[in-house]
Amino acid sequence: MKIENRFLKYISFNTQSDYYSTTTPSTACQKELAEFLVEEMRILGLVNVHMSEYGVVYGTIPSNNDHQGDVIGFIAHMDTSPDASGENIHPQVIRDYDGKRITLHDDFILDPQEFTDLQKVIGHDLITTDGTTLLGADDKAGIAIIMSMAEYMFKHPEFKHNDIQIAFTPDEEVGRGTEHFDIETFHADYAYTIDGGDINEFYFENFNAYQVLVEITGKSIHPGSAKNKMINSLEVAQTFNQLLPIQQRPEFTEGYEGFHHLNHMQGTCEKTRLEYIVRNHDYLKLKNQINDFKRIQAYLNSLYGYELVDVTIHEQYLNMKDVLKDYPEIVEQVEIAMQDVGLHPTIVPIRGGTDGARLSYQGLPCPNLGTGGFYCHGPYEFVSITMMKKGVELLLRLIRNNVYEKQDIPF
């Protein structure tokens, strides 16, 4: 099957996850794709294929070289972001992109002057949205790359390899992708998440990440008799947000610069809840950002004379660089394989996180590789079919290099 057809099939499944769900996976629709993948993996000759009770899909491409080489794992996630609709996706396929503006829908236009990554994919075949939904390249492009790799290995038994482990996780977008990941069942020496952007980029460091919940309890009084009595929690919430450093909002940051992002706000005069994500590659700088929230809490509580503001802080994931620095060979072999297939390896810090960050701390070293997807989580998302094809080639080369190195076979 062509990789683009495989990808188009996967995005036909609506697999949005849900921040507020208490089930695992957070949405039942993710299991529909999981069941489809289980059947597809069995057809392609994988063994030990199953979906766990928590919606994680596992399978093994069995060794055909008497178990020489490392056991490498490849992981992608099935869910799409709750930030934009993933239902009834109507993709557009663009052949040999000419570098011009792409009209998606009404006023939704992919302009290479604004969306500058388009300048990297001139001459590529692309898939875009129609401007009404996200696309789902994050991370169904990763699934398509892994499954296309598996199909190649099924059709080419002369391609020698050790056991290759594959897993597809739910709920990565809501920070729960590895809560029930069974590393012992997966049984890999190390793994790579396939979940990123430009295929020339690879990632072994990511943000340290916290969630901060701010709850403000005001005093609701009829506005006709509110003077010197009412404390409007909505007004206090605006003050709280304005007291945080404006230049640390994500729209003013890039690269290694950290940020705090207000991603949900809901309330009434009586009670308001603010939800933030706080990110920084430097853990000490992150702690300073967290302390900003605590200082504002103390200031406002002192100003109003009661426990007006409550702040709750949750760790989400940490920078995998602190683990992967002890496994330099895992990173080095990516660089070698990229050069072997004609890519230009570029190490980029992830301004976010992956399942690999948590897995690395759980004992499975797990850098991240790109997929060719860009501008995810919204209607401007697109993927390069050309880069996806190169992603398959890269995975095969990683496997081949590992086996040849272990067998000391020149090539």
Side-chain angles (χ1 to χ4, degrees):
M1 183 188 295
K2 289 183 178 180
I3 193 168
E4 65 184 87
N5 293 336
R6 175 168 274 122
F7 173 76
L8 291 171
K9 179 61 179 178
Y10 297 158
I11 66 172
S12 70
F13 291 86
N14 176 22
T15 57
Q16 281 183 280
S17 47
D18 182 354
Y19 286 110
Y20 303 104
S21 170
T22 58
T23 65
T24 303
S26 65
T27 52
C29 59
Q30 295 180 68
K31 285 191 172 182
E32 295 177 14
L33 176 57
E35 290 166 353
F36 181 87
L37 291 170
V38 165
E39 182 61 26
E40 188 177 16
M41 291 162 77
R42 287 174 176 155
I43 291 171
L44 293 177
L46 277 75
V47 300
N48 303 322
V49 178
H50 66 284
M51 176 177 63
S52 77
E53 63 178 302
Y54 302 109
V56 183
V57 175
Y58 301 94
T60 302
I61 303 175
S63 172
N64 63 1
N65 73 342
D66 196 27
H67 298 282
Q68 299 182 67
D70 295 332
V71 178
I72 303 176
F74 297 105
I75 302 168
H77 66 87
M78 297 177 288
D79 64 316
T80 59
S81 170
D83 293 346
S85 174
E87 189 173 10
N88 298 321
I89 295 172
H90 299 288
Q92 301 183 107
V93 178
I94 297 171
R95 304 293 181 191
D96 192 21
Y97 172 57
D98 60 8
K100 297 179 181 178
R101 299 169 70 187
I102 301 171
T103 299
L104 304 177
H105 172 74
D106 295 338
D107 294 328
F108 286 87
I109 296 173
L110 274 170
D111 187 335
Q113 298 302 312
E114 179 180 5
F115 299 96
T116 54
D117 285 312
L118 281 168
Q119 298 169 23
K120 301 177 181 179
V121 295
I122 295 173
H124 291 208
D125 292 337
L126 308 179
I127 302 176
T128 74
T129 77
D130 69 349
T132 62
T133 66
L134 50 68
L135 180 63
D138 182 13
D139 184 30
K140 290 166 185 172
I143 300 174
I145 289 169
I146 293 171
M147 291 301 290
S148 295
M149 173 203 75
E151 181 180 34
Y152 178 90
M153 295 168 75
F154 176 68
K155 291 181 176 179
H156 295 271
E158 74 279 5
F159 183 89
K160 299 301 179 182
H161 57 86
N162 195 2
D163 286 344
I164 302 299
Q165 304 291 4
I166 291 174
F168 301 121
T169 60
D171 290 339
E172 189 268 357
E173 296 291 1
V174 295
R176 293 160 50 188
T178 65
E179 281 185 355
H180 301 285
F181 192 97
D182 190 335
I183 290 177
E184 187 172 330
T185 293
F186 193 59
H187 196 60
D189 295 314
Y190 51 88
Y192 298 95
T193 48
I194 316 302
D195 179 17
D198 191 328
I199 202 70
N200 293 280
E201 298 176 354
F202 66 103
Y203 319 81
F204 61 89
E205 54 184 321
N206 60 277
F207 276 142
N208 296 291
Y210 277 72
Q211 180 189 53
V212 179
L213 305 178
V214 179
E215 292 185 309
I216 299 169
T217 303
K219 295 181 179 180
S220 182
I221 306 293
H222 188 287
S225 54
K227 185 174 182 179
N228 298 327
K229 300 180 185 69
M230 176 190 286
I231 298 176
N232 189 335
S233 73
L234 290 163
E235 299 285 0
V236 177
Q238 293 183 69
T239 300
F240 189 103
N241 190 58
Q242 290 167 355
L243 287 171
L244 289 165
I246 291 176
Q247 293 305 314
Q248 287 182 10
R249 294 177 183 174
E251 57 266 39
F252 301 118
T253 66
E254 62 182 354
Y256 284 96
E257 296 171 338
F259 63 75
H260 61 262
H261 174 48
L262 176 61
N263 62 346
H264 187 74
M265 177 177 178
Q266 184 175 8
T268 62
C269 179
E270 176 69 22
K271 190 175 287 289
T272 297
R273 177 184 174 97
L274 307 173
E275 299 179 13
Y276 292 86
I277 59 173
V278 185
R279 304 289 190 259
N280 207 303
H281 286 88
D282 185 313
Y283 189 75
L284 292 178
K285 290 181 179 178
L286 180 86
K287 296 303 286 186
N288 286 335
Q289 289 174 250
I290 294 296
N291 285 336
D292 286 338
F293 286 84
K294 295 178 179 178
R295 283 192 289 268
I296 296 169
Q297 174 191 17
Y299 166 70
L300 290 175
N301 285 348
S302 175
L303 180 66
Y304 285 91
Y306 73 100
E307 295 300 308
L308 167 72
V309 179
D310 181 67
V311 172
T312 306
I313 299 164
H314 300 285
E315 178 187 295
Q316 294 180 305
Y317 51 82
L318 299 175
N319 192 343
M320 61 183 164
K321 180 181 180 180
D322 293 332
V323 174
L324 295 178
K325 62 181 173 54
D326 296 327
Y327 302 90
E329 67 281 359
I330 300 175
V331 175
E332 290 166 3
Q333 64 191 25
V334 173
E335 194 164 8
I336 292 169
M338 281 187 160
Q339 292 170 342
D340 287 345
V341 299
L343 294 173
H344 304 285
T346 305
I347 298 172
V348 176
I350 305 174
R351 286 182 60 78
T354 70
D355 281 341
R358 281 190 175 273
L359 290 172
S360 293
Y361 278 89
Q362 292 171 16
L364 180 67
C366 197
N368 185 71
L369 306 179
T371 64
F374 298 88
Y375 305 112
C376 58
H377 295 196
Y380 297 103
E381 184 181 10
F382 72 87
V383 68
S384 163
I385 301 169
T386 308
M387 285 191 178
M388 282 199 293
K389 291 177 179 177
K390 186 61 75 171
V392 178
E393 189 178 349
L394 174 59
L395 299 197
L396 291 168
R397 193 69 183 202
L398 274 169
I399 295 166
R400 171 179 169 166
N401 285 2
N402 174 260
V403 172
Y404 282 3
E405 179 184 349
K406 299 296 179 183
Q407 295 183 358
D408 196 27
I409 298 173
F411 62 98

